Amino acid sequence: SMSGRKLDEEMLEELEEQLVMSDVSIDTAGHLISGLREAARRGEVPTDEDAIQALQDGVASLLGSGDRPLRFAADGITVWLFVGVNGVGKTTSVGKLAHKLSQQGRKPLLAACDTFRAAAIEQLQEWGRRADAPVVAAQSGADPAAVAHDAIAAARSRGRDIVLIDTAGRLHTKSNLMNELSKIARVTERELGRAPEETLLVLDASTGQNGLTQAQSFAGSAPLTGLILTKWDGTAKGGIILSVARETGVPVKLIGVGEKADDLIAFNPQKFAEEMFS
Amino acid sequence: NLSEKLNKTFARLRGRGRVTEADMDAALREVRLALLEADVNFKIVKDFVARVREKALGVDVLESLSPDQQVVAIVHDELTELLGGSAQRINYSSQGPTVIMLAGLQGTGKTTTCAKLAAWLKRSGKKPLLVATDIYRPGAIKQLQTVGAQVGVPVFEMGTNPPPQIARAGLKYAGEHAHDVVIIDTAGRLHVDEAMMQEARDVQDAVNPHEVLLALDAMTGQDAVNAASAFNETVRLSGVVLTKLDGDARGGAILSVRAVTGVPVKFVGVGEKLDALEEFHPDRMAGRILG
Ligand SMILES: Nc1nc2c(ncn2[C@@H]2O[C@H](COP(=O)(O)OP(=O)(O)OP(=O)(O)O)[C@@H](O)[C@H]2O)c(=O)[nH]1
Ligand SMILES: Nc1nc2c(ncn2[C@@H]2O[C@H](COP(=O)(O)OP(=O)(O)OP(=O)(O)O)[C@@H](O)[C@H]2O)c(=O)[nH]1
Ligand SMILES: [Mg+2]
Ligand SMILES: [Mg+2]
């Protein structure tokens, strides 16, 4: 139904529908479509192909520039903290990154700060083996902040140059768990003498409107520096990151595209926008 | 919330005299917005709002003293009816062990739910056996063994042998050890992964489960229908377990899944602990979706 067809109100509705079906919020979809309607009035988008391109550009520009590499410390140990709700892919993302870092000749160390969930430590230890990275852990039920503290100390004494802290999944509605996260972040910062280079919120691409609430809540417990959007290899478009970008300004840094060690790619706003309309 | 918004909509309209069909459209726009914000699928919202409109005009809501409350009541009732109204119990076997299989996308709570179900069934006098067929995820078997031990239910595993083979051996073991329920945990998989979907089908064909439950994360958005439909086409689902309902996601995905597949919700997961499994209440879910 797209081939030089003139942009009309019906087409605008179809495009708005496509945005909403991609989990873009009503608000953000309305904002993008209004912008498109204005462009149409100025004669800038004569055909539907122009309209789709303009909309893609609108989506990409909402997401900001694609060049946001993960940050490393200028000197001393780099620390990256991984947070998010249950089951989104934190541990797997830590494992993938550790693998990449080792391949790049760096010396990652993993902190098993999920001291609650069944076999969480074993899961991370397996990734540590795959990534050739030591894992610092304690017994189940230990204080995660203490494990974070010990991991940074261990990295220093063992000559490792980057620490990846895996934390337990937690629903942002549980204040005791969000307080625990604040404590992990505080203890990490105190031990380092500065904030971690990255505090990354992991979001599942199939998440609906709750993704924005997650981002806002987690930002309240630890200053977020980036997002990792996982499971983008499914059919979910991950449109919720548009609202997250608009409301929080936290940039998406990485995209998970599978369950294997190599399945983590840099975020590319243009490609993301194209995928949304494919 | 929706009630307040409709109240405002109709109050504003009533000030201009008689309430008309166009005014009904304004009210239905609010209903549509509420459902979309709750992650109900776009197409399902269209059908649903059309049904509500028909019903509201049919009962002459516009003539009523409080059209806002009447519309909310109609929406609530329609949602409750859509969500409920069908077999929400486990279908037990009439002969031999009852086989229950958990399936779904990655990270939706299958392994945790398997242990919760085992504990639930044990409390109701059953002697369940857990079967570990996730041969891929690091630590998956250990995870099931750990939660199995926590609820005092044995776990059958066969390392990384093919899942259909493990399932078959687990069923045989259950028969030989007087287990009357077999709960099969499977690996998370994408509905677009043909090989993995075939594997799920092969597990189903190997042991003919009496229940195939889709674990659906309550925070899932518009994609829920794609995944659920695909799973339902490959392994005929008998029920849904809606997980992580202890969060604040509105959970509208379940309405779409129910509308498109007809599969009923049999349980809800309401926490990380192994006793956090409850029966599903359609009317409460309706209220939650409406916000
Ligand atoms: N298809 C796909 N699956 C993924 C991706 N990232 C993670 N997964 C899978 O998602 C599931 C959950 O991953 P985990 O790493 O355990 O998630 P988590 O956030 O650490 O979970 P909790 O610690 O329990 O909160 C696993 O089956 C992973 O293999 C991805 O990018 N694509
Ligand atoms: N808050 C909450 N967390 C839950 C619930 N059900 C499961 N979880 C958590 O969700 C995460 C994922 O649970 P799993 O049981 O590992 O999920 P899974 O579907 O088996 O994951 P894969 O095997 O990787 O596909 C874990 O952190 C669980 O503790 C629930 O009802 N509420
Ligand atoms: Mg984890
Ligand atoms: Mg599992």
Side-chain angles (χ1 to χ4, degrees):
Chain A
S1 71
M2 321 247 156
S3 50
R5 186 179 138 201
K6 187 168 167 301
L7 178 66
D8 56 8
E9 201 51 42
E10 182 188 338
M11 164 123 223
L12 284 173
E13 272 189 33
E14 280 175 32
L15 289 173
E16 187 165 18
E17 179 172 329
Q18 194 154 359
L19 288 172
V20 173
M21 301 271 283
S22 303
D23 288 313
V24 176
S25 73
I26 313 283
D27 202 52
T28 301
H31 165 82
L32 286 166
I33 295 298
S34 301
L36 191 56
R37 191 176 286 114
E38 282 312 301
R41 287 204 187 109
R42 294 193 298 268
E44 291 166 14
V45 282
T47 69
D48 48 25
E49 279 144 354
D50 299 317
I52 292 183
Q53 186 58 54
L55 202 50
Q56 278 181 20
D57 293 344
V59 169
S61 75
L62 256 187
L63 295 169
S65 100
D67 182 26
R68 298 92 141 223
L70 294 170
R71 282 187 304 221
F72 293 89
D75 52 14
I77 305 220
T78 296
V79 174
W80 295 345
L81 176 64
F82 296 76
V83 306
V85 302
N86 306 72
V88 294
K90 299 176 294 298
T91 304
T92 304
S93 300
V94 167
K96 291 171 180 175
L97 272 172
H99 185 261
K100 179 167 285 163
L101 291 165
S102 288
Q103 278 183 333
Q104 291 170 350
R106 295 183 196 266
K107 308 202 197 72
L109 177 145
L110 311 184
C113 291
D114 181 352
T115 57
F116 168 75
R117 207 209 68 213
I121 294 173
E122 286 83 345
Q123 183 187 9
L124 190 68
Q125 285 170 330
E126 173 55 30
W127 276 107
R129 278 188 288 276
R130 291 178 186 182
D132 193 25
V135 178
V136 167
Q139 71 285 356
S140 167
D143 176 7
V147 179
H149 171 278
D150 292 352
I152 294 170
R156 286 195 180 110
S157 69
R158 288 151 79 164
R160 310 303 291 179
D161 57 14
I162 176 163
V163 176
L164 280 67
I165 304 179
D166 184 24
T167 64
R170 70 200 67 229
L171 291 185
H172 49 284
T173 46
K174 316 220 160 157
S175 53
N176 59 325
L177 298 184
M178 297 307 278
N179 289 338
E180 177 188 86
L181 183 60
S182 296
K183 183 173 172 207
I184 296 171
R186 265 200 322 279
V187 165
T188 298
E189 178 158 349
R190 202 173 55 223
E191 180 59 20
L192 266 184
R194 56 188 145 76
E197 276 64 40
E198 295 286 349
T199 299
L200 301 162
L201 175 68
V202 183
L203 279 182
D204 185 322
S206 69
T207 306
Q209 299 309 303
N210 197 249
L212 175 58
T213 318
Q214 291 175 25
Q216 290 167 327
S217 307
F218 275 90
S221 289
L224 303 178
T225 62
L227 297 182
I228 300 180
L229 186 71
T230 61
K231 309 178 197 173
W232 199 57
D233 46 321
T235 52
K237 301 291 185 180
I240 194 60
I241 64 168
L242 270 66
S243 303
V244 175
R246 274 181 95 202
E247 302 293 327
T248 71
V250 179
V252 179
K253 299 213 170 184
L254 295 168
I255 306 254
V257 290
E259 302 186 74
K260 303 209 201 57
D262 288 329
D263 294 332
L264 197 62
I265 60 178
F267 177 61
N268 179 328
Q270 271 299 342
K271 180 151 191 310
F272 183 87
E274 282 169 23
E275 266 306 303
M276 194 170 275
F277 291 93
S278 68
Chain B
N1 65 25
L2 181 64
S3 220
E4 292 159 351
K5 286 191 192 146
L6 289 180
N7 186 299
K8 274 213 194 96
T9 305
F10 280 115
R12 194 183 60 227
L13 299 175
R14 225 174 298 142
R16 309 201 312 261
R18 204 181 137 269
V19 188
T20 67
E21 275 206 28
D23 301 330
M24 173 60 70
D25 290 341
L28 292 177
R29 259 195 301 282
E30 292 295 344
V31 174
R32 175 176 172 274
L33 277 177
L35 293 174
L36 287 174
E37 281 166 5
D39 293 325
V40 181
N41 185 274
F42 193 93
K43 298 195 166 70
I44 302 299
V45 171
K46 251 191 192 162
D47 298 341
F48 184 84
V49 171
R51 272 236 299 285
V52 168
R53 182 175 208 281
E54 200 175 336
K55 197 157 192 191
L57 294 174
V59 305
D60 224 349
V61 158
L62 297 175
E63 300 299 312
S64 111
L65 285 175
S66 60
D68 54 326
Q69 289 176 28
Q70 274 224 274
V71 172
V72 172
I74 289 170
V75 174
H76 192 274
D77 291 348
E78 284 295 304
L79 278 178
T80 303
E81 194 174 333
L82 247 180
L83 290 168
S86 93
Q88 291 173 30
R89 294 286 116 84
I90 293 191
N91 297 312
Y92 289 105
S93 164
S94 52
Q95 163 169 346
T98 297
V99 182
I100 302 173
M101 176 182 163
L102 267 285
L105 298 173
Q106 289 87 349
T108 54
K110 296 176 293 300
T111 304
T112 308
T113 300
C114 280
K116 289 179 180 180
L117 258 176
W120 174 287
L121 292 164
K122 199 174 167 201
R123 283 196 298 275
S124 59
K126 301 283 181 211
K127 189 162 173 260
L129 174 73
L130 289 161
V131 177
T133 74
D134 182 350
I135 61 175
Y136 311 99
R137 173 174 151 157
I141 296 177
K142 186 89 203 328
Q143 183 186 2
L144 191 65
Q145 287 172 326
T146 303
V147 292
Q150 284 171 355
V151 298
V153 171
V155 175
F156 179 91
E157 57 90 13
M158 249 167 80
T160 52
N161 276 293
Q165 188 178 331
I166 302 172
R168 213 175 288 117
L171 181 56
K172 181 162 177 291
Y173 179 95
E176 293 162 356
H177 293 80
H179 290 287
D180 51 10
V181 184
V182 176
I183 302 170
I184 304 176
D185 184 23
T186 67
R189 69 202 64 224
L190 292 178
H191 52 291
V192 290
D193 185 333
E194 289 187 14
M196 286 300 282
M197 291 308 281
Q198 184 58 47
E199 177 192 279
R201 176 58 173 267
D202 293 342
V203 170
Q204 177 177 48
D205 290 345
V207 294
N208 285 312
H210 303 83
E211 292 283 350
V212 180
L213 304 177
L214 177 76
L216 177 69
D217 194 322
M219 65 190 192
T220 313
Q222 299 283 311
D223 195 56
V225 275
N226 300 329
S229 307
F231 270 88
N232 199 30
E233 278 161 30
T234 310
V235 283
R236 212 181 41 262
L237 302 171
S238 65
V240 172
V241 179
L242 190 57
T243 63
K244 306 179 202 173
L245 218 51
D246 45 319
D248 58 2
R250 300 259 290 270
I254 190 57
L255 183 70
S256 322
V257 168
R258 177 95 172 108
V260 167
T261 67
V263 180
V265 180
K266 303 231 172 184
F267 293 98
V268 296
V270 293
E272 294 192 70
K273 303 232 169 73
L274 300 175
D275 57 0
L277 189 72
E278 292 178 0
E279 289 178 347
F280 177 64
H281 296 281
D283 55 338
R284 285 190 217 164
M285 192 71 212
R288 177 185 182 122
I289 289 175
L290 287 180

